[in-house]
Amino acid sequence: MNLEQFPKKVRIVEVGARDGLQNEKSVIDTADKVEFIKKLADAGHQSIEVTSFVRPDRIAQMSDAKELFPLVKKIIDPDKTQLICLVPNLKGLELASELGVKDVAVFTATSDSFNLKNINATVSQSFDRIEPVIEKALASGMRVRGYVSTAFGCPYEGAMDPRKAGLVAQRLDQMGCHEISIGDTIGTGTPYSVHKVLDEVLKSVSQEKVALHFHDTRGMAVANVMAGLERGIAHYDSSAGGLGGCPYAKGATGNVGTEDLIYLFHTFGIDCGVDLDKQCVSSLYMLEKLEKYTTSKFLQAYLNGKMKIYMPSPKDF
Ligand code: HMG
Ligand code: MG
């Protein structure tokens, strides 16, 4: 392991309020979402996915986006903290810009089958739809993040050729996304395939623009983040308590738990700017509302141990 390659500082994109909740059946009150996001910001998060402006009949949990964003904006300054909202098309962008959203995320995938179910467009059609969204967003001074879903595997097509992730990432980069998040939508990625996908993506997208988004369906997510660190990647999406999933990827479980990542980064002496104790409190706040137990291993230990958190760091060895 060449620690020299590791970034000294990383940024977490906390996706708990969007990816974390979008697949949950019990609808959470808007006020509870606001409080959750406030707690996450208080924990130190600088990048928080707030919601998505998608069809409410497709993702019911996000149907309060128009009410939620202004309430969040009242307590968190979008010029200081990235408050990211997903926009699938021009209609979504219009709604977001009316509310003063500064950070939007567009999303597509490497797989036509997944994309058709998720956004009613093939990969190629999705580029035609996304291009004007990015153009308009950039023209109005917004920042645009781009997602490449099913980069490792598709729920309908199986294993995906890493070259597809490379090509989709390249296209999003050329269109003007400031960051490209490579998504393991169904959690089939492994450290080996992370290296293979990064080999392709990094051919055209510069390292500092790449983010990694792992779902932990097969328990590989933390190992996959390690592979990302080995390649110098400094941006990681994760979700409070490990919540998450996509209604169009049945059986896929939550994102890697933010607590697990904060712990991992700390053990390498990598600064991520988020307070672990406050993160646990934020995650438990939402898990209680959902009446769910956490899949985050660190949070499980925190709950079971009732002990002072022991955080090993490089100076202990
Ligand atoms: P469509 O049916 O192709 O849209 O949906 P359309 O343009 O044909 O319009 C149909 C109707 O929807 C119209 O209403 C539009 O106004 C309305 P009508 O005139 O019939 O009454 N409509 C909208 N309403 C509100 N907001 C909008 C909007 N657009 C159209 N933005 C669309 C296309 C993409 C909108 C739809 O398929 C959709 O909303 N899909 C939901 C996708 C989604 O949110 N998936 C989860 C997020 S992606 C993910 O989780 C993966 C990620 O985490 C990374 C990873 O893990 O890999 C990011
Ligand atoms: Mg996801």
Side-chain angles (χ1 to χ4, degrees), residues 18-19 213 215 255:
R18 194 279 306 171
D19 202 336
H213 176 110
H215 284 258
N255 298 76

Side-chain angles (χ1 to χ4, degrees), residues 32-295:
D32 294 336
K33 291 183 188 174
V34 175
E35 183 58 26
F36 177 45
I37 292 166
K38 180 180 180 301
K39 284 183 165 20
L40 291 169
D42 289 346
H45 283 288
Q46 292 296 303
S47 299
I48 301 174
E49 249 183 21
V50 172
T51 186
S52 51
F53 291 89
V54 295
R55 276 182 62 164
D57 57 328
R58 296 291 218 99
I59 312 274
Q61 186 71 257
M62 300 289 115
S63 62
D64 63 348
K66 275 186 271 181
E67 292 74 50
L68 175 64
F69 191 82
L71 294 171
V72 172
K73 199 176 138 201
K74 254 190 208 167
I75 52 170
I76 305 169
D77 183 352
D79 286 320
K80 295 206 178 110
T81 303
Q82 285 189 312
L83 299 173
I84 306 165
C85 297
L86 264 61
V87 293
N89 53 14
L90 282 169
K91 174 156 185 154
L93 179 71
E94 213 174 286
L95 294 167
S97 56
E98 277 165 16
L99 301 175
V101 172
K102 297 269 163 58
D103 281 276
V104 291
V106 295
F107 49 108
T108 183
T110 60
S111 147
D112 281 336
S113 315
F114 175 76
N115 252 5
L116 282 166
K117 297 237 192 297
N118 193 39
I119 57 171
N120 193 25
T122 61
V123 177
S124 150
Q125 288 165 343
S126 76
F127 290 139
D128 296 340
R129 192 187 278 170
I130 286 171
E131 196 158 29
V133 174
I134 299 178
E135 268 171 24
K136 233 178 159 171
L138 293 177
S140 59
M142 292 175 174
R143 268 183 303 216
V144 187
R145 177 172 223 249
Y147 269 112
V148 183
S149 287
T150 65
F152 299 85
C154 166
Y156 312 103
E157 294 182 21
M160 298 307 290
D161 183 337
R163 283 175 296 186
K164 290 194 174 176
L167 291 172
V168 176
Q170 180 181 33
R171 192 77 195 272
L172 291 172
D173 184 39
Q174 286 166 344
M175 286 187 206
C177 291
H178 76 94
E179 179 168 89
I180 322 285
S181 178
I182 309 297
D184 185 11
T185 318
I186 56 168
T188 52
T190 64
Y192 182 83
S193 55
V194 171
H195 281 291
K196 290 287 166 198
V197 166
L198 286 175
D199 283 344
E200 295 301 324
V201 169
L202 294 172
K203 277 181 187 166
S204 58
V205 182
S206 58
Q207 185 199 51
E208 62 277 9
K209 282 185 161 185
V210 175
L212 294 170
H213 176 110
F214 294 118
H215 284 258
D216 202 23
T217 316
R218 289 163 186 78
M220 289 290 121
V222 170
N224 292 341
V225 170
M226 277 295 296
L229 292 174
E230 281 163 13
R231 300 296 288 266
I233 304 299
H235 310 284
Y236 294 92
D237 300 356
S238 65
S239 170
L243 289 166
C246 175
Y248 301 99
K250 294 253 180 298
T253 59
N255 298 76
V256 62
T258 305
E259 305 75 21
D260 295 338
L261 286 201
I262 299 171
Y263 181 71
L264 177 75
F265 296 144
H266 186 84
T267 63
F268 282 107
I270 300 172
D271 175 23
C272 72
V274 186
D275 182 283
L276 182 52
D277 207 19
K278 288 186 178 167
Q279 175 69 42
C280 292
V281 172
S282 317
S283 304
L284 291 172
Y285 174 82
M286 186 43 74
L287 285 158
E288 272 168 31
K289 301 278 167 211
L290 292 164
E291 298 181 6
K292 276 190 100 157
Y293 191 57
T294 180
T295 55

Side-chain angles (χ1 to χ4, degrees), residues 11 15 30 78 172 241:
R11 163 175 153 266
V15 300
T30 307
L172 291 172

